[in-house]
Every structure is written in C-alpha cells, then in structure tokens.
Amino acid sequence: MSNNKQQNNMMIVSFKPEGQLKEMGVTYSQKAQLGRPVDPNSKRQQRLATAPGRKTGRPIDPNSKRQQRLAELEVKAALNGGKVKRGRPINPNSKRQIALREVVEVAKTAAQVK
C-alpha cells in the first residue's frame, strides 16, 4: 500500500524547466508540460536550441502534385481578392436562382411592413 502511494506521489511531481530552458534561449510554454518532461541538457534539446528556425518532420517536395495544386490555389486567391471559389458555379439565370431571389425579396418586403 505504501509503495503504491510513493509511486503516485512521484507521478504528481511537476517538472518546471523554465530556468534551464531560458538560459539556452528556448521559449517555454505551458504546452511543454503536457507530455514527458523535457530535459534541457539532452542532445536533442541542445540541437533544437542552436537551430530555432529548423523545422522537424518530413521535408516538403515543391514538385509534388499537392504542392503544385496549393501553389495554383494561392495564385487564384491572389487574383480573386484572397478567396478561392470552390464547387460548381451558380447560374444566376436558372429557374431555381430566380425563385430563390423572389423568396428573399418577399421576405424583405414583409420585414419592412412589420
């Protein structure tokens, strides 16, 4: 019983590396406490501290189809005022759009009368 209590108490101890990380120039956030504690003296943390602009993860291939599509979308957005229209374009002269416009106009006039 007492052994389990000791283990639980050890789990509650919070690791606060603010001081050590600040010396290395690494910014500290509350999010860092959620997972495993960070050892600021580890090789990985020292490597990350020396290259703060370095991204971890899989490198991006600029020639991939997805990256080309994203570049095209950015160009479209720039030409269209920052918005990319998606989906099928609306035909303003279709029966449905004309009927919808009439319904909206009737609702506006009804709101003005009240």
Side-chain angles (χ1 to χ4, degrees):
M1 201 69 173
S2 65
N3 192 17
N4 280 344
K5 192 171 185 179
Q6 266 184 330
Q7 275 185 327
N8 289 340
N9 285 340
M10 288 176 64
M11 300 287 274
I12 294 172
V13 174
S14 62
F15 182 75
K16 297 186 179 181
E18 295 103 343
Q20 292 174 329
L21 288 175
K22 196 176 279 185
E23 291 170 5
M24 294 171 48
V26 176
T27 56
Y28 174 77
S29 68
Q30 290 294 330
K31 204 169 192 180
Q33 288 185 347
L34 294 176
R36 275 176 46 178
V38 176
D39 179 15
N41 299 324
S42 70
K43 286 185 179 180
R44 182 178 186 277
Q45 287 301 319
Q46 289 174 351
R47 177 176 48 86
L48 291 174
T50 56
R54 183 165 183 237
K55 283 185 150 185
T56 58
R58 185 176 177 182
I60 296 171
D61 178 17
N63 298 324
S64 70
K65 284 201 169 200
R66 181 174 189 274
Q67 290 302 318
Q68 290 173 355
R69 190 181 79 240
L70 290 175
E72 289 172 6
L73 287 175
E74 284 180 23
V75 170
K76 270 187 181 178
L79 293 175
N80 200 18
K83 293 184 180 180
V84 177
K85 294 183 179 181
R86 296 169 28 167
R88 184 176 177 179
I90 297 172
N91 180 4
N93 299 324
S94 70
K95 290 180 184 178
R96 182 175 184 276
Q97 290 301 315
I98 293 169
L100 286 173
R101 250 184 271 134
E102 290 174 2
V103 169
V104 170
E105 289 174 10
V106 169
K108 282 184 183 178
T109 55
Q112 288 176 354
V113 171
K114 288 183 182 181

